[in-house]
Amino acid sequence: MSLLLIGSAFAVQAKNLTVYKHVDKNGIIHYSSKKPVGKSYNILNVRCPECAAWRNSVDWNTTPLIDNKFSLEIESAARKHDLEPALIKAVIHAESAFKHKAVSSAGAQGLMQLMPLTQKTYQVSDPYDPLQNIHGGSAYLKHLKGVYNRLDVYLAAYNSGETAVEKYGRAIPPFPETREYVRRVKILYKRYQQSARLNAANQQPGNLTINASGR
């Protein structure tokens, strides 16, 4: 089934969006902010993770990390695509806050907020399946890392697309959203790295873990 997204109809500033979904006679799914006339439809109430109101309310240096969700899927993708688990976690946290059914105002879906073309490229048939989504997003991240090498730039490409990065001389495009995205992923990446090192140190032989009862 192919997917047609009418992203320009969505208001990026909105905190919550009402989106109308209908399937035409050819089986193509359409999303719109306007109610379809003379067609059956479903209403989706979309929470936009990257919208300004949500983004600006979070202190990325202190917001709690999410280390206990989709660990097996993340480790699997990290091994297959030669990425640090901490980087994958940082992208997932920044993109969806680990909500596997998240949908953005532009139609990006799932944990790593994959657009339909990215899903097709990396054979993601169900963007809401955590394993498929994480592997698809990680494969795309690996591709961008190979093309641009520098962390700032390939994160910018993940957010704004390769076309925008190429247009601005393989540098971060001057888009406030993209600059903010790179900033917050880097903060989360560093914090997830620190968390991984701490967890590894605590698991070394000779370290004593005391449970809540003190025994």
Side-chain angles (χ1 to χ4, degrees):
M1 182 184 298
S2 61
L3 181 63
L4 177 63
L5 293 163
I6 312 176
S8 62
F10 299 138
V12 176
Q13 291 79 15
K15 184 176 180 181
N16 293 285
L17 302 170
T18 297
V19 178
Y20 298 92
K21 171 186 175 182
H22 76 275
V23 182
D24 68 20
K25 63 182 180 180
N26 296 315
I28 297 175
I29 301 175
H30 299 259
Y31 293 90
S32 175
S33 62
K34 297 182 179 180
K35 185 185 297 185
V37 178
K39 301 180 179 71
S40 61
Y41 58 84
N42 294 320
I43 297 177
L44 307 176
N45 290 310
V46 178
R47 175 69 170 93
C48 174
E50 80 278 22
C51 292
W54 179 83
R55 181 183 67 221
N56 294 335
S57 67
V58 176
D59 183 344
W60 299 102
N61 289 289
T62 60
T63 190
L65 299 181
I66 304 172
D67 257 331
N68 59 349
K69 288 188 175 182
F70 310 113
S71 298
L72 294 178
E73 292 88 347
I74 290 169
E75 291 291 341
S76 171
R79 288 192 300 269
K80 181 174 181 178
H81 303 292
D82 194 26
L83 297 172
E84 281 187 73
L87 179 60
I88 299 173
K89 289 180 180 180
V91 171
I92 293 173
H93 195 150
E95 290 283 357
S96 68
F98 284 80
K99 295 177 175 62
H100 72 283
K101 292 187 177 181
V103 181
S104 82
S105 58
Q109 298 169 302
L111 288 166
M112 298 188 75
Q113 292 291 274
L114 307 181
M115 293 296 287
L117 180 58
T118 306
Q119 295 171 30
K120 183 177 180 180
T121 300
Y122 295 102
Q123 300 179 328
V124 176
S125 60
D126 181 0
Y128 302 116
D129 176 76
L131 183 62
Q132 287 192 45
N133 191 286
I134 292 171
H135 270 278
S138 297
Y140 183 41
L141 201 56
K142 178 183 180 180
H143 161 73
L144 295 173
K145 182 179 179 181
V147 172
Y148 298 110
N149 193 38
R150 288 177 47 212
L151 177 64
D152 286 17
V153 180
Y154 65 76
L155 289 178
Y158 192 95
N159 175 260
S160 63
E162 293 176 76
T163 300
V165 168
E166 292 291 338
K167 179 180 178 180
Y168 290 96
R170 293 196 158 201
I172 302 176
F175 309 146
E177 178 185 334
T178 299
R179 292 184 181 277
E180 165 60 21
Y181 177 82
V182 171
R183 184 189 75 86
R184 79 174 176 263
V185 173
K186 288 177 67 177
I187 290 171
L188 291 167
Y189 180 26
K190 182 177 180 180
R191 293 183 63 206
Y192 277 111
Q193 285 179 316
Q194 292 169 341
S195 177
R197 287 194 291 267
L198 181 61
N199 289 337
N202 288 337
Q203 293 172 10
Q204 290 297 319
N207 284 348
L208 179 64
T209 300
I210 301 175
N211 63 24
S213 66
R215 293 192 296 271

